Amino acid sequence: MNEKGKMLTIGQFAALHGIHKKTLMWYDEVGLFRPAAVNPENGYRCYNYHQSPVLETILLLRELDVSIPEIQEFLKHRSAESLKCLLEEKTAKLDQTILHLQALRNTLLGHHRDMVTLLTMDLSEITLVEKEECGLVTVKIDKETSFEKEVELITAETAKYRLGRLHEASYGSMIPVASLRAGEFDNYTRLFIELPFLPPKEGLHMQPKGTYLRAFHKGGWDELPRRYQEILEFAGKQGLVLSGYSYEKGINETVAERIEDYIVQIEIPCSFREEGL
């Protein structure tokens, strides 16, 4: 632009910045951003190209949800240091929003995978799948832990990790494989919370990467022992060694109305038995 000192109409200046001229009129009315001049004959607002950096800063801050009073206060004491501090604060909040949206997207994808599984699964089938390492928040329980206590423990952990809603995580229970081998199919020792994008760190239970035996059970929990017996028989025939824990979680809680329709996904780390053992 060769004539940067030339005055621009409100329409031209608005178009230059990709906004509606009513936005400029409102900024003027609230005292946030004044025109460079006002035509005394017709009251038309005129702007100077050199006002562009200030307007772009205002537009950026508005995109970051900075309030009008905050921006006005910043403009009164505008400096490199004040802008630096303001941008650092808003960038931190934006990072939190991005993490939340990523987690929400991951949750939606998880629900979508569950629905695809529901529509394509063979409930009688037992398969092998590959899984990546995953960090789980766990709470210890035993046969004496009441349902009320379990709710209390889970609530405390969700608050600890600042989960706003239950849908932001996946929940399930864990049984040691040793208990399954001993026929103790009700020996749940942990509840787990799978948080999207939770980085590995001390205190988490790391669900290992590798091959998992996957099966499903439909119906009440009183029928689960029989399903586990089928799983153990399958593993024996296939030469599979089960290890660690069995991880259980419901995959159709959002669409099942009766306990008879409830489907539990069971995943257990496994490997093939070496010959001669």
Side-chain angles (χ1 to χ4, degrees):
M1 186 176 293
N2 296 323
E3 300 182 50
K4 293 183 179 180
K6 184 178 179 180
M7 300 299 285
L8 302 172
T9 67
I10 189 172
Q12 291 171 326
F13 197 66
L16 179 63
H17 293 277
I19 60 176
H20 197 281
K21 65 180 183 180
K22 287 185 178 180
T23 300
L24 290 173
M25 294 170 66
W26 182 61
Y27 284 172
D28 185 14
E29 290 171 3
V30 298
L32 180 62
F33 184 74
R34 304 287 192 187
V38 177
N39 190 313
E41 296 180 3
N42 52 29
Y44 289 172
R45 298 170 175 88
C46 298
Y47 295 83
N48 190 294
Y49 178 80
H50 293 291
Q51 291 180 277
S52 289
V54 176
L55 178 59
E56 283 298 322
T57 300
I58 292 172
L59 295 176
L60 172 62
L61 295 177
R62 289 298 291 156
E63 283 198 52
L64 294 172
D65 288 330
V66 182
S67 68
I68 295 297
E70 282 183 285
I71 297 176
Q72 289 174 321
E73 185 63 25
F74 161 71
L75 292 176
K76 289 178 183 177
H77 309 284
R78 185 160 46 120
S79 68
E81 179 63 26
S82 62
L83 181 57
K84 169 182 169 292
C85 293
L86 183 59
L87 292 179
E88 286 175 347
E89 175 190 341
K90 298 307 176 182
T91 298
K93 289 185 178 180
L94 182 60
D95 287 340
Q96 291 178 352
T97 300
I98 291 172
L99 287 175
H100 172 72
L101 291 175
Q102 288 176 329
L104 183 58
R105 183 179 188 275
N106 193 56
T107 299
L108 292 176
L109 290 175
H111 285 317
H112 182 266
R113 285 193 298 268
D114 288 344
M115 294 306 104
V116 171
T117 299
L118 284 172
L119 294 171
T120 59
M121 68 169 34
D122 179 349
L123 284 173
S124 65
E125 189 177 25
I126 299 176
T127 58
L128 299 182
V129 297
E130 296 297 319
K131 291 178 64 70
E132 294 298 320
E133 182 181 60
C134 178
L136 304 176
V137 177
T138 63
V139 294
K140 293 182 179 180
I141 60 170
D142 56 35
K143 294 179 182 179
E144 303 303 317
T145 307
S146 66
F147 176 73
E148 290 76 12
K149 183 62 177 179
E150 290 181 0
V151 171
E152 179 184 327
L153 292 170
I154 288 294
T155 301
E157 289 302 310
T158 53
K160 177 180 176 181
Y161 287 90
R162 299 179 181 178
L163 284 176
R165 301 285 298 277
L166 289 178
H167 72 252
E168 295 178 353
S170 297
Y171 298 80
S173 53
M174 298 161 57
I175 304 178
V177 167
S179 296
L180 298 179
R181 293 199 190 100
E184 299 175 358
F185 301 116
D186 61 347
N187 188 32
Y188 293 92
T189 60
R190 299 189 187 189
L191 302 177
F192 71 79
I193 310 170
E194 182 180 351
L195 304 179
F197 299 103
L198 185 64
K201 62 180 180 179
E202 186 178 352
L204 293 181
H205 169 85
M206 299 310 299
Q207 187 177 6
K209 174 183 179 179
T211 304
Y212 282 69
L213 179 152
R214 176 183 287 173
F216 299 94
H217 168 70
K218 182 177 181 179
W221 282 268
D222 56 336
E223 294 296 322
L224 261 174
R226 183 166 61 184
R227 187 53 168 159
Y228 272 119
Q229 289 172 345
E230 295 172 351
I231 289 171
L232 292 174
E233 291 175 6
F234 174 88
K237 291 179 182 178
Q238 298 297 319
L240 293 171
V241 178
L242 305 182
S243 60
Y245 292 86
S246 171
Y247 300 87
E248 296 180 8
K249 72 173 183 177
I251 64 169
N252 69 333
E253 295 169 309
T254 56
V255 294
E257 295 184 0
R258 306 178 305 159
I259 189 63
E260 293 82 2
D261 298 323
Y262 189 80
I263 297 176
V264 175
Q265 176 181 276
I266 300 168
E267 293 182 333
I268 309 174
C270 65
S271 60
F272 284 98
R273 182 182 296 112
E274 296 182 14
E275 293 186 7
L277 296 180

